[in-house]
Amino acid sequence: MPSRYLIFLLVAVGMGAFAADPPDLPAPASGAANADTAPASIVPRARPGDETTALPKANIRVDTNVVLVPVTVTDPLNRFVTGLDEDAFEVYEDKVKQQIVSFGSEDAPLSIGIVFDTSASMGNKLERSRLSVAEFFKTANPEDEAFLVEFNDRPQLVVPLTHNLEDIQNRLVFTQSKGRTALLDGIYLALATMKKARNPRKALIVISDGGDNNSRYTATEVKNLVKEADVQIYGIGIYETGAARARTPEELSGPEMLRDLSEPTGGRHFVVENLAELPDVAAKIGVELRNQYVVGYSPANQVRDGKYRKITVKLIQQRGLPTLRAFWRTGYFAPTQ
């Protein structure tokens, strides 16, 4: 449920590099009330307008002590809600209400990682999966950059960071399905690759049809790494109706694992049971990344202890609107210096 990437200005959070034959993983750090306002509009749109509030860049850094929280708001029909004012939001850190110091919407350039399952079970799903990537890129900006990680028995960075998104689509044309599923290793490699990204906003799009049965890294290790990274993760799980009998225990655990990896980052997990829906889901993620509010606050707790701070975003019920739902990143690690 919670969503988005946040931000701290001047000290970047890093992560270890991933090799084709990865070394042992270093231990990662452990981890709506009434308001008399004019009705807001519920308008799905491909991009926000030009009238946006200038905000600090989106690297997780510390010095000026401003935390930027990207928030997606949807209505009961899962449509994006735009046009809300600052007074529709309340932000809490470790259950303490915070003062909002900046507010607006942001369509900043994105750095995108496509994490693409090419294991044997993806055979009849590859065509629609390729098409979903193309649909996602239709909402891209000229300044966006992207890379492609494919995984089966092992993960591989097949297209490094590039502004030419056609390179990724062209590479996917030749993708073949074979082998087992090293999903966690694929996500780990993508997070390591994202360290080289130049844009302030970062997102991974994970496309897979099952769980993990061949990774060297554990779910706990990767979850801890995700908790530290300034990257939103969107999981697209292809779980066709009627296929459950043929699934292994690892594959049956796939939906829960993708959800647990994506939702704490401010991303979401989408379940696809009909292959024909796959491109539409990917296009929806592209639109979502262009329809986010950015709420900034200066933490009341200024102690630089390196501890994890939990964030909660509450929506104040707006007159004339149904009950709305918010998604945001659930926390961050405080700086240590």
Side-chain angles (χ1 to χ4, degrees):
M1 307 199 291
S3 5
R4 291 326 148 221
Y5 76 101
L6 12 97
I7 284 185
F8 247 148
L9 299 150
L10 248 190
V11 169
V13 175
M15 66 187 84
F18 187 108
D21 188 10
D24 293 338
L25 177 71
S30 59
N34 290 324
D36 293 330
T37 59
S41 58
I42 301 179
V43 184
R45 56 192 172 101
R47 298 172 187 265
D50 294 330
E51 297 178 9
T52 57
T53 302
L55 295 168
K57 289 298 181 183
N59 300 2
I60 295 185
R61 299 192 172 183
V62 173
D63 190 44
T64 55
N65 283 355
V66 175
V67 180
L68 303 183
V69 188
V71 184
T72 298
V73 180
T74 61
D75 69 2
L77 297 179
N78 210 25
R79 298 174 300 184
F80 302 112
V81 178
T82 63
L84 294 177
D85 296 324
E86 177 182 330
D87 57 9
F89 297 84
E90 289 182 350
V91 181
Y92 296 80
E93 182 178 293
D94 291 338
K95 299 182 179 182
V96 178
K97 187 176 179 179
Q98 306 293 308
Q99 181 179 356
I100 296 175
V101 298
S102 66
F103 177 83
S105 60
E106 184 180 38
D107 189 10
L110 281 165
S111 291
I112 304 156
I114 304 296
V115 185
F116 197 93
D117 189 345
T118 60
S119 62
S121 60
M122 284 289 289
N124 67 327
K125 309 177 186 78
L126 283 180
E127 183 178 355
R128 289 284 181 174
S129 297
R130 295 185 190 107
L131 182 57
S132 69
V133 174
E135 288 296 315
F136 173 80
F137 282 152
K138 284 182 179 180
T139 61
N141 286 345
E143 297 86 1
D144 289 348
E145 60 180 358
F147 62 86
L148 172 63
V149 167
E150 293 180 352
F151 65 92
N152 41 50
D153 289 330
R154 300 159 66 90
Q156 182 181 3
L157 177 63
V158 294
V159 179
L161 278 162
T162 178
H163 290 284
N164 187 358
L165 305 185
E166 288 186 2
D167 286 352
I168 293 175
Q169 298 181 60
N170 293 337
R171 177 60 177 82
L172 287 172
V173 171
F174 301 100
T175 296
Q176 296 181 344
S177 59
K178 61 180 180 180
R180 294 167 67 83
T181 310
L183 172 59
L184 291 168
D185 285 359
I187 294 174
Y188 187 92
L189 174 56
L191 289 171
T193 303
M194 196 63 84
K195 288 179 60 181
K196 302 175 183 178
R198 302 173 183 88
N199 290 329
R201 300 179 60 202
K202 305 171 181 67
L204 296 183
I205 313 300
V206 182
I207 304 175
S208 179
D209 70 339
D212 189 296
N213 57 24
N214 207 55
S215 282
R216 305 180 66 174
Y217 293 102
T218 67
T220 298
E221 289 170 331
V222 175
K223 285 177 185 178
N224 286 336
L225 215 66
V226 166
K227 204 172 183 180
E228 298 177 0
D230 181 23
V231 180
Q232 292 177 256
I233 298 178
Y234 287 84
I236 304 179
I238 310 170
Y239 314 115
E240 293 181 281
T241 305
R245 293 181 180 178
R247 293 179 190 165
T248 65
E250 292 87 358
E251 291 172 328
L252 289 171
S253 69
E256 181 180 3
M257 183 172 68
L258 271 181
R259 186 187 66 242
D260 291 348
L261 286 169
S262 58
E263 291 186 352
T265 72
R268 290 200 274 170
H269 172 226
F270 293 86
V271 174
V272 176
E273 295 183 343
N274 182 346
L275 272 176
E277 300 172 354
L278 185 56
D280 290 339
V281 170
K284 183 174 182 175
I285 294 173
V287 173
E288 177 168 330
L289 286 167
R290 311 293 177 182
N291 285 269
Q292 295 179 329
Y293 300 91
V294 181
V295 183
Y297 71 92
S298 181
N301 182 0
Q302 295 289 318
V303 178
R304 302 192 173 208
D305 54 11
K307 293 183 178 180
Y308 189 74
R309 307 278 175 82
K310 185 175 180 180
I311 295 176
T312 303
V313 175
K314 294 183 179 181
L315 294 176
I316 306 302
Q317 181 64 42
Q318 302 296 290
R319 186 176 61 183
L321 289 181
T323 300
L324 305 178
R325 187 180 184 187
F327 301 86
W328 67 95
R329 188 176 183 93
T330 57
Y332 69 97
F333 285 97
T336 56
Q337 54 182 337

